[in-house]
Amino acid sequence: MYPALVYSWDLFKIEAAIESLLKEEPEDIDTIFELVTDAVDTNNRTVDKPLEVPFYPFPYFEGMNKIGLDKYWLGLYWRNNKYDVSFLKEMCELCLDNKIGKISITPWKSFIVKGIPRESKLVWEKFLGKRGINVRHSMLELNWHLPVANKEALNLKKYLVANFDQNDISTYGLTFGITDYNKSSYYFTSIVIEKNKQPELIGNFQTRDTYNLLYAKNFDPNTRAYITHVQDVDKVELPGLLMELSQLYFDQLGSEKEEEKRAIVKKEVLVEEVHQCKDCFTVYNKVYGDVTQNIPKNTPFQNLPKVTFVHFVKLQKLVLKKSIRKKLNDCL
């Protein structure tokens, strides 16, 4: 893990520094950090605690959405994952007119313009309409990871999306990635469609592409643990298998939280035995003994002088219930 937190708009500077400074593989990540820090001026923050990423269904980063009372953010997505340079220039000029100095990228081949004033909303909508840019695409189309400028992957995505659309399949909360076998060792999607390498053939034999399907544990890509669902399946089988995974996702959605709750409840009901006097309500716990009577710790109740436990009765103390534990300790 990089030993500092960096802002996304500094990533390109850090990447360029690593490429220019490191001619050989460094000994460790700290060496990279020291070299980059000396070469590049970035706004780092210290890492105060390990990263914990709560799992939520992935949001819909697209369309015109309100921020506060008088501003909007706009998420832009094009189906072919390409943006004309002339469009980008015109959009940047519009941003300058609205005093917007930053454009935020997303991992899904889309980007976000934040801080559009309410009085400029109509201007932006006219700009998008003249450019033929649609908004509010179906979730079936959004949240896909594809290799850059890969027509084959884009066509496969279109084929799968068309099948989803025809079968009324919901993919809300899911993300998909298309990759070649062994081309990428790191994924960050709920479901991975992995194209297999074709075998070397002799003669004029023809083979068809085959695919593997993997899904993240609990469909949470933050786990970085992937489970193989099927291997070596034909392209025509993919839509049905992906629909099957979609059903599996919604079947288990939230169940991992229930398992965590049950584990917590199980811990809370652990008990241990103590004794309490029926007359004065004094509690004896062998863990503490009784310093007032010169009884050392870990002395079993049965080993106490008989006169001291004639009036005692057995109790069960919930060892992880804080309110009960505090009350018993106060008695001791």
Side-chain angles (χ1 to χ4, degrees), residues 177-233:
I178 297 177
T179 183
D180 289 339
Y181 184 70
N182 283 339
K183 284 287 183 71
S184 174
S185 59
Y186 175 75
Y187 309 117
F188 187 68
T189 57
S190 309
I191 298 173
V192 176
I193 303 152
E194 187 179 68
K195 180 183 174 183
N196 288 316
K197 182 180 179 181
Q198 288 196 353
E200 295 182 5
L201 300 177
I202 300 175
N204 296 322
F205 290 99
Q206 292 185 346
T207 61
R208 301 176 69 173
D209 291 329
T210 62
Y211 300 85
N212 305 327
L213 284 183
L214 301 87
Y215 65 96
K217 182 180 179 182
N218 296 326
F219 293 90
D220 180 3
N222 291 307
T223 64
R224 299 183 66 178
Y226 283 85
I227 301 166
T228 300
H229 185 58
V230 292
Q231 290 181 301
D232 299 317
V233 297

Side-chain angles (χ1 to χ4, degrees), residues 12-30:
F12 79 98
K13 293 190 289 186
I14 294 173
E15 180 185 6
I18 292 174
E19 290 179 348
S20 62
L21 293 171
L22 301 180
K23 306 303 180 185
E24 300 177 356
E25 185 175 345
E27 295 181 0
D28 51 43
I29 192 65
D30 292 323

Side-chain angles (χ1 to χ4, degrees), residues 213-311:
L213 284 183
L214 301 87
Y215 65 96
K217 182 180 179 182
N218 296 326
F219 293 90
D220 180 3
N222 291 307
T223 64
R224 299 183 66 178
Y226 283 85
I227 301 166
T228 300
H229 185 58
V230 292
Q231 290 181 301
D232 299 317
V233 297
D234 195 84
K235 176 182 174 180
V236 296
E237 299 178 74
L238 288 177
L241 291 167
L242 288 171
M243 294 173 199
E244 182 180 294
L245 281 178
S246 172
Q247 292 298 320
L248 179 62
Y249 165 69
F250 287 108
D251 286 343
Q252 63 84 50
L253 188 60
S255 60
E256 64 276 7
K257 300 297 181 183
E258 294 299 323
E259 291 175 3
E260 291 176 7
K261 290 179 182 178
R262 284 195 293 269
I264 293 173
V265 170
K266 187 177 181 180
K267 291 179 182 178
E268 288 183 346
V269 298
L270 293 175
V271 297
E272 66 179 13
E273 190 176 273
V274 297
H275 297 78
Q276 185 179 46
C277 178
K278 294 183 291 184
D279 297 330
C280 68
F281 303 111
T282 299
V283 173
Y284 178 77
N285 187 333
K286 71 175 184 178
V287 174
Y288 304 102
D290 191 342
V291 294
T292 63
Q293 303 297 322
N294 297 319
I295 298 173
K297 296 178 180 179
N298 298 316
T299 301
F301 182 77
Q302 292 77 8
N303 293 353
L304 298 180
K306 290 184 179 181
V307 69
T308 62
F309 64 81
V310 170
H311 299 289

Side-chain angles (χ1 to χ4, degrees), residues 76-124:
L76 292 174
Y77 159 83
W78 272 1
R79 289 177 171 173
N80 61 1
N81 298 152
K82 294 180 180 179
Y83 301 92
D84 294 337
V85 174
S86 60
F87 161 77
L88 294 175
K89 285 183 177 180
E90 191 175 347
M91 187 196 68
C92 288
E93 290 176 1
L94 192 53
C95 286
L96 289 175
D97 293 340
N98 288 266
K99 297 181 180 180
I100 298 170
K102 181 177 67 176
I103 296 173
S104 303
I105 61 172
T106 78
W108 318 108
K109 303 274 193 311
S110 62
F111 56 88
I112 294 173
V113 180
K114 295 189 289 186
I116 297 174
R118 180 173 56 184
E119 58 271 18
S120 298
K121 180 173 180 286
L122 182 59
V123 175
W124 279 86

